[in-house]
Amino acid sequence: MTDALVIDTPDDQQTPAWWRQAVVYQIYPRSFADANGDGLGDIPGILSRVDYLAELGIDAVWLSPFYPSALADGGYDVADYRDVDPRLGTLEDFDAMVAALHARGIRVVVDIVPNHTSNLHVWFQEALAAGRGSAARDRYIFREGTGPDGSEPPTDWQSTFGGGAWERVEDGQWYFHHFAVEQPDLNWANPEVRADFVKTLRFWSDRGVDGFRIDVAHMLTKDLADPLPSRVELEAIPRDGNHPLFDRDDVHDVYAEWREVFNSYDPPRTAVAEAWVETPERRAKYASAEGLGQAFNFDLLVADFDAAQFRRIITANLAEALVTGSSTTWVLSNHDVTRHATRYGLAPLNGRAVKQGAEWVAAGGPAEQLDRDGGLRRARAATLLLLGLPGSTYLYQGEELGLHEVAEITPEQRQDPAFFRGGEFDGLGRDGCRVPLPWTADGASFGFGAGGAHLPQPSWFADSAVDAQESDPASTLSLYRRALALRHRLQAGESLKWIETGRDDVLRFARPNGWQVVTNFGAEPFALDPVEGEVVLTSGADAAASVPGETTVWIAPSS
């Protein structure tokens, strides 16, 4: 065995440190459940499914944006940070949902999008009307153009979604938008911007929200003093805390102020950073107790179903957690990436620097390239491994149903700006993981709502529907429910010990109370040595004496 990785932390999930080993379920509200039949998921739809969430056994839900939005970027173009989109409900509906979730012991985390607003936000409309040099424009990033008449953008920088990162307004000035043109970046050097987000954090905390997920947390503060670098020069600047746009050291002044807000509540509000940074040392700054407290670990989103890759990533992230004093986060799917059941059914990347699944999606999802059954088998094994690890696990809606990525979406049906503009999000965009969930095997929109679904659902959703799986003990839904129930009973302190298996394709570790997890990434069965305990859960076929290929088992210690 290797040395243990240990963090002393309370085991009681009801303490203020409940988040350290929580299972958090991400809800993309517009695609979860539709209560009013308009084809768009809503807050009352979530309320109607709180018993399903409780039966699943999660500790918290994380809501992707539900704020008023023109949906230029799936709700991440926020027009009002302190309200609910009227198509999704009301503040009263939100309060009722929070109360119902809390009554079932489920905490609530909401998305905060602080890098940019919608171009429909009252501030941006004021900025357009106010003109050059106004206080309203100083809330955003406006610059004069270049060239003899200012008709050229200030720089040749590119937006993440493709195309130029500057947009000209009627009076000739240009504003900066790192993402879609409808998402102007805020100026975080402006005290009014900082004060308004503190007001927003308090608004939702006062309504009972337990924590916040911070969108692109590494991008808020910027240094755009003249002369601005060219695109080539910008890309050559190290991201070491002094980059003009990304992961600047001064962003942590913002989060120190937010931490004071979080700690003013009892229990303190939690936060987790979406921070795409260069090194573990940079990510650790976001996870510090003086800052947001936790940061996403996305390493497994770009890893193959491979024992060596998993062990390296797990070891590195647990070591990082020791440094920060935080707990690590484990995630296999979310609203921005190809679902992991599909990723694991494709040929491995073998170190190629692209996101798994991106090329398959870009090719239109050719069926002959996807091993659907194998992908789901590996996804179940990977999920069971993650749920056995120290730290918190983030699940994405629909993965408990074993859903694959939906490729059957025509250009006319697509909504993601990444599809229309290209950019860093490869392929056909992210619509395929955002298709509304199937609740019933038949009926209008597979039970999502009476009025159809805002993205097309494929016919194979029928076999994956909730009501088709609930009574099947071998279903993926049943596996998730058993796993989450057992996880609460077996949970131990935040440590593990690797147990050498004699095989490069088999990982085995033990938690402090003797709970063991064994994952066979290979094809040949792995014989289980005599151990004190019993196999209490398997991701696949029976595994009393050996672990079949592409399978994870949990071994509970003898009482």
Side-chain angles (χ1 to χ4, degrees):
M1 295 184 183
T2 63
D3 292 338
L5 295 163
V6 181
I7 302 172
D8 291 325
T9 184
D11 289 333
D12 183 359
Q13 294 294 298
Q14 301 307 312
T15 70
W18 64 269
W19 50 273
R20 295 190 66 93
Q21 299 206 72
V23 174
V24 183
Y25 181 90
Q26 181 189 359
I27 291 178
Y28 189 74
R30 291 168 173 82
S31 295
F32 186 70
D34 173 20
N36 64 5
D38 65 354
L40 203 64
D42 46 39
I43 300 298
I46 298 171
L47 179 60
S48 74
R49 302 293 184 178
V50 293
D51 286 337
Y52 171 82
L53 296 169
E55 290 166 7
L56 188 58
I58 58 173
D59 300 298
V61 296
W62 151 31
L63 301 178
S64 291
F66 51 85
Y67 311 109
S69 170
L71 301 183
D73 182 20
Y76 283 86
D77 48 315
V78 178
D80 185 344
Y81 289 89
R82 296 189 287 274
D83 204 353
V84 174
D85 190 317
R87 291 168 292 182
L88 273 65
T90 65
L91 283 170
E92 290 71 24
D93 292 330
F94 181 88
D95 293 341
M97 177 197 67
V98 171
L101 289 167
H102 281 174
R104 291 160 177 80
I106 300 172
R107 313 252 183 178
V108 179
V109 175
V110 301
D111 232 309
I112 295 293
V113 188
N115 178 70
H116 46 265
T117 72
S118 165
N119 62 340
L120 301 181
H121 192 285
V122 63
W123 275 5
F124 193 73
Q125 293 301 306
E126 289 175 0
L128 294 180
R132 285 177 167 82
S134 64
R137 285 210 176 172
D138 189 58
R139 297 172 181 143
Y140 294 90
I141 299 170
F142 278 86
R143 290 289 186 276
E144 298 298 336
T146 58
D149 57 358
S151 62
E152 297 296 321
T155 70
D156 60 351
W157 300 348
Q158 293 291 293
S159 160
T160 291
F161 290 149
W166 298 90
E167 182 73 8
R168 200 177 193 192
V169 300
E170 189 172 342
D171 63 16
Q173 275 200 313
W174 298 72
Y175 68 86
F176 178 67
H177 59 94
H178 188 87
F179 294 97
V181 66
E182 298 89 351
Q183 294 170 293
D185 280 43
L186 287 162
N187 172 21
W188 274 86
N190 186 315
E192 191 176 0
V193 171
R194 297 194 180 206
D196 196 69
F197 272 89
V198 167
K199 185 176 179 181
T200 292
L201 295 174
R202 289 197 177 277
F203 178 87
W204 294 110
S205 296
D206 290 344
R207 299 192 92 90
V209 164
D210 302 286
F212 302 90
R213 178 264 190 185
I214 313 304
D215 186 62
V216 292
H218 60 297
M219 289 176 55
L220 274 59
T221 57
K222 300 173 177 69
D223 178 8
L224 298 185
D226 292 328
L228 296 176
S230 69
R231 180 183 179 184
V232 171
E233 292 169 336
L234 185 71
E235 291 175 351
I237 298 173
R239 299 189 183 187
D240 59 0
N242 296 295
H243 191 280
L245 300 180
F246 305 118
D247 189 27
R248 294 180 51 77
D249 286 338
D250 55 13
V251 76
H252 299 290
D253 296 337
V254 174
Y255 299 138
E257 182 178 12
W258 288 14
R259 175 47 56 189
E260 291 182 6
V261 174
F262 300 150
N263 287 349
S264 69
Y265 289 85
D266 184 16
R269 293 337 188 210
T270 66
V272 58
E274 181 202 25
W276 295 91
V277 296
E278 296 286 303
T279 65
E281 292 75 20
R282 298 301 305 173
R283 186 163 58 201
K285 293 178 178 291
Y286 296 87
S288 74
E290 295 74 34
L292 294 175
Q294 196 175 51
F296 275 119
N297 145 34
F298 293 127
D299 298 340
L300 289 173
L301 297 182
V302 291
D304 295 319
F305 183 76
D306 176 83
Q309 292 181 49
F310 267 67
R311 179 161 179 166
R312 173 181 54 78
I313 289 168
I314 292 166
T315 301
N317 281 280
L318 290 178
E320 181 182 329
L322 282 173
V323 174
T324 64
S326 181
S327 67
T328 195
T329 59
W330 307 110
V331 55
L332 291 172
S333 286
N334 65 29
H335 64 294
D336 279 337
V337 300
T338 305
R339 287 186 177 275
H340 66 284
T342 294
R343 298 202 314 267
Y344 294 156
L346 298 170
L349 291 174
N350 294 321
R352 289 187 297 122
V354 296
K355 284 186 177 179
Q356 268 207 358
E359 295 173 333
W360 182 80
V361 172
E368 68 276 7
Q369 294 181 14
L370 177 62
D371 176 3
R372 296 182 69 88
D373 292 340
L376 179 57
R377 183 172 59 251
R378 296 167 201 129
R380 288 163 57 112
T383 296
L384 217 57
L385 185 157
L386 258 62
L387 289 172
L389 289 169
S392 58
T393 304
Y394 284 75
L395 308 177
Y396 179 53
Q397 66 175 43
E399 70 170 84
E400 78 279 13
L401 304 178
L403 293 186
H404 277 278
E405 189 82 357
V406 177
E408 304 94 322
I409 306 175
T410 67
E412 296 76 21
Q413 296 167 320
R414 291 194 174 272
Q415 301 172 7
D416 189 353
F419 167 70
F420 297 105
R421 300 193 65 179
E424 293 178 14
F425 287 96
D426 299 311
L428 298 179
R430 301 160 292 175
D431 292 319
C433 63
R434 301 177 179 185
V435 173
L437 296 188
W439 293 93
T440 59
D442 52 20
S445 65
F446 297 105
F448 170 70
H454 66 96
L455 283 168
Q457 300 162 301
S459 60
W460 51 262
F461 261 25
D463 294 332
S464 301
V466 171
D467 72 350
Q469 295 198 41
E470 283 189 310
S471 60
D472 179 2
S475 72
T476 301
L477 177 59
S478 295
L479 174 67
Y480 270 68
R481 287 176 171 174
R482 290 197 304 274
L484 293 177
L486 273 171
R487 188 178 192 272
H488 282 110
R489 286 161 43 194
L490 294 173
Q491 192 58 269
E494 290 177 52
S495 68
L496 66 72
K497 290 184 178 180
W498 291 109
I499 301 172
E500 298 306 328
T501 64
R503 279 179 49 174
D504 292 339
D505 58 357
V506 178
L507 296 184
R508 185 173 190 168
F509 61 83
R511 298 291 295 276
N513 60 355
W515 172 22
Q516 289 191 29
V517 177
V518 185
T519 301
N520 183 353
F521 288 81
E524 295 300 318
F526 172 73
L528 287 173
D529 296 329
V531 294
E532 289 189 8
E534 63 175 323
V535 173
V536 292
L537 189 63
T538 173
S539 67
D542 179 65
S546 65
V547 183
E550 301 178 335
T551 300
T552 294
V553 302
W554 287 2
I555 302 170
S558 300
S559 57

